[in-house]
Amino acid sequence: MVNTKTTVKDIGFTHEDFAALLDKYDYHFSPGDVVAGTVFSIEPRGALIDIGAKTAAYIPIQEMSINRVESPEEVLQSNETREFFILTDENEDGQLTLSIRRIEYMRAWERVRQLQAEDATVRSQVFATNRGGALVRIEGLRGFIPGSHISTRKPKEELVAEELPLKFLEVDEDRNRLVLSHRRALVERKMNRLEVGEVVIGTVRGIKPYGAFIDIGGVSGLLHISEISHDHIDTPHSVFNVNDEVKVMIIDLDAERGRISLSTKQLEPEPGAMVKNRELVYEKAEEMAAKFREKMLAQKQAKAGIEVPVDATDSDELSDEILEDVPSAMEEDLPEEAPVAVAEATSEPVTEATPEPVTEAEATPEPVTEATPEPVAEAIPEPVTEATSEVSEEIPPVTVE
């Protein structure tokens, strides 16, 4: 058997001899195959590759790399032997079209899936922004960061060229969507220093009908309307104003969703105190938080089958019951534009898709767009919904350039 990494010339065959041999054994190349080939002619916008077919195969410059290439010499050298992806079947002249980009694209998706499975934090520079968020490249794929998942006070336009830590929200090769979160990366880091039952001081950064977003040390937590007071609250606006400094207790830390849930209701020494006497709530906050932690511990012990005093578990406001209706702390709106392209495993031209906006954890989310890749595209994930986000639009796909 001939070594696939050996050229036709190396074994003393002419190209015509080898073609005749292929005819004899009725051997065919099919789109989707990965074959070894040798570069024997570099042209201004492409190259001819000897893969042992009847006619030399051709690779256009746009299929030479997952990244933008200005000249074939940046990627290929004469007589170089390497792997190529068969992009299209023979044309009327019997010539196949090849791609290196498609191979890089498939390997990039494999690597990104592995990083997501490891829940890895990656770092990448922002190379562009749009109405919905920011664009980055991960393993050569174009990723989208929804506006609601960008945790910074800077205008989005000033983020270009800035390197951000990121966590994966969505990795969907079929839909060519790669969505990431800067906020989740920061929240995870912050969560390592926070505990459920801890009292923290924060600032009201946004107020929605369903609750208030509180900034606690650079990350945003949601104080749901149901967790403001034991008394009924018609709207959070009746209790808080933007920029108010508040003392709240952490009742849930969800690193997977990048969500921090807060409560002042659990700090009330008497029902309704948050509305009638806020200073009393703040004064007794640590004392009430200690009681909350005791009850929470007792509840965990009870579930684990450990005997505890009866009065230590008589609470119907803890654990899952408290958090059952608390919406995600990150709200997103998915816009209707899709400027970013996404790459597919198809042998067609590459298209990019522009993500749609997603709102910030404190504001209203914006949509993300998808992009369907052609020859090789990048993927952009769909929007992530947060604290009762009411808007669900399409997310831009990820495209490879």
Side-chain angles (χ1 to χ4, degrees), residues 195-267:
E195 296 181 0
V196 172
E198 179 181 356
V199 175
V200 294
I201 295 176
T203 303
V204 178
R205 294 303 185 191
I207 301 177
K208 299 292 180 182
Y210 50 80
F213 288 103
I214 313 297
D215 185 312
I216 51 174
V219 294
S220 184
L222 176 66
L223 174 58
H224 191 262
I225 188 171
S226 65
E227 283 298 325
I228 293 177
S229 175
H230 285 82
D231 277 5
H232 174 71
I233 302 294
D234 290 326
T235 171
H237 288 87
S238 65
V239 182
F240 302 110
N241 294 310
V242 173
N243 295 326
D244 278 357
E245 186 174 87
V246 297
K247 187 175 288 189
V248 294
M249 183 175 69
I250 298 171
I251 57 173
D252 184 51
L253 294 171
D254 189 336
E256 183 176 348
R257 299 180 183 179
R259 182 181 73 179
I260 300 175
S261 299
L262 309 170
S263 175
T264 51
K265 173 182 177 179
Q266 305 303 323
L267 299 179

Side-chain angles (χ1 to χ4, degrees), residues 90-109:
E90 296 180 350
N91 59 19
E92 56 185 14
D93 297 321
Q95 187 174 65
L96 295 164
T97 300
L98 306 179
S99 172
I100 294 172
R101 179 182 186 181
R102 189 50 55 86
I103 294 175
E104 293 179 342
Y105 177 70
M106 293 186 294
R107 289 174 179 169
W109 275 115

Side-chain angles (χ1 to χ4, degrees), residues 153-169:
R153 298 286 175 204
K154 290 183 179 180
K156 287 196 296 287
E157 297 72 19
E158 295 182 13
L159 291 176
V160 175
E162 183 168 334
E163 187 176 75
L164 303 176
L166 304 165
K167 301 290 285 189
F168 292 94
L169 291 180

Side-chain angles (χ1 to χ4, degrees), residues 21-292:
L21 186 63
L22 292 177
D23 280 339
K24 179 179 180 180
Y25 290 99
D26 193 26
Y27 183 78
H28 296 287
F29 294 98
S30 303
D33 289 346
V34 174
V35 298
T38 301
V39 180
F40 71 86
S41 177
I42 295 181
E43 303 183 350
R45 302 300 295 172
L48 293 174
I49 312 296
D50 178 4
I51 62 171
K54 299 177 184 178
T55 304
Y58 181 73
I59 178 170
I61 190 170
Q62 63 267 27
E63 287 300 325
M64 290 184 180
S65 175
I66 200 170
N67 300 309
R68 193 179 302 279
V69 174
E70 298 299 331
S71 67
E73 288 80 4
E74 293 179 31
V75 179
L76 299 174
Q77 297 179 350
S78 294
N79 297 319
E80 173 187 4
T81 298
R82 63 179 299 165
E83 288 184 325
F84 294 90
F85 180 93
I86 298 180
L87 201 57
T88 66
D89 212 337
E90 296 180 350
N91 59 19
E92 56 185 14
D93 297 321
Q95 187 174 65
L96 295 164
T97 300
L98 306 179
S99 172
I100 294 172
R101 179 182 186 181
R102 189 50 55 86
I103 294 175
E104 293 179 342
Y105 177 70
M106 293 186 294
R107 289 174 179 169
W109 275 115
E110 182 178 358
R111 176 58 178 155
V112 166
R113 284 193 295 269
Q114 179 183 356
L115 291 170
Q116 182 192 39
E118 296 171 356
D119 194 26
T121 296
V122 297
R123 300 186 69 88
S124 182
Q125 269 192 359
V126 174
F127 70 85
T129 62
N130 64 14
R131 184 170 64 92
L135 302 177
V136 295
R137 288 191 178 88
I138 306 294
E139 298 293 324
L141 298 175
R142 176 172 296 182
F144 177 67
I145 310 172
S148 64
H149 283 267
I150 299 175
S151 186
T152 177
R153 298 286 175 204
K154 290 183 179 180
K156 287 196 296 287
E157 297 72 19
E158 295 182 13
L159 291 176
V160 175
E162 183 168 334
E163 187 176 75
L164 303 176
L166 304 165
K167 301 290 285 189
F168 292 94
L169 291 180
E170 180 181 358
V171 175
D172 190 335
E173 182 176 4
D174 292 336
R175 302 179 69 180
N176 290 300
R177 306 208 310 186
L178 179 60
V179 181
L180 305 111
S181 172
H182 174 227
R183 181 176 299 279
R184 183 183 158 194
L186 296 185
V187 169
E188 182 178 89
R189 183 186 306 169
K190 180 70 176 178
M191 282 183 177
N192 292 332
R193 302 191 297 270
L194 297 176
E195 296 181 0
V196 172
E198 179 181 356
V199 175
V200 294
I201 295 176
T203 303
V204 178
R205 294 303 185 191
I207 301 177
K208 299 292 180 182
Y210 50 80
F213 288 103
I214 313 297
D215 185 312
I216 51 174
V219 294
S220 184
L222 176 66
L223 174 58
H224 191 262
I225 188 171
S226 65
E227 283 298 325
I228 293 177
S229 175
H230 285 82
D231 277 5
H232 174 71
I233 302 294
D234 290 326
T235 171
H237 288 87
S238 65
V239 182
F240 302 110
N241 294 310
V242 173
N243 295 326
D244 278 357
E245 186 174 87
V246 297
K247 187 175 288 189
V248 294
M249 183 175 69
I250 298 171
I251 57 173
D252 184 51
L253 294 171
D254 189 336
E256 183 176 348
R257 299 180 183 179
R259 182 181 73 179
I260 300 175
S261 299
L262 309 170
S263 175
T264 51
K265 173 182 177 179
Q266 305 303 323
L267 299 179
E268 289 185 327
E270 54 188 53
M274 193 60 199
V275 177
K276 304 168 188 174
N277 189 351
R278 189 181 306 184
E279 292 306 316
L280 176 62
V281 175
Y282 295 165
E283 179 183 340
K284 299 286 187 179
E286 294 295 346
E287 179 183 333
M288 296 301 296
K291 292 181 179 179
F292 177 89

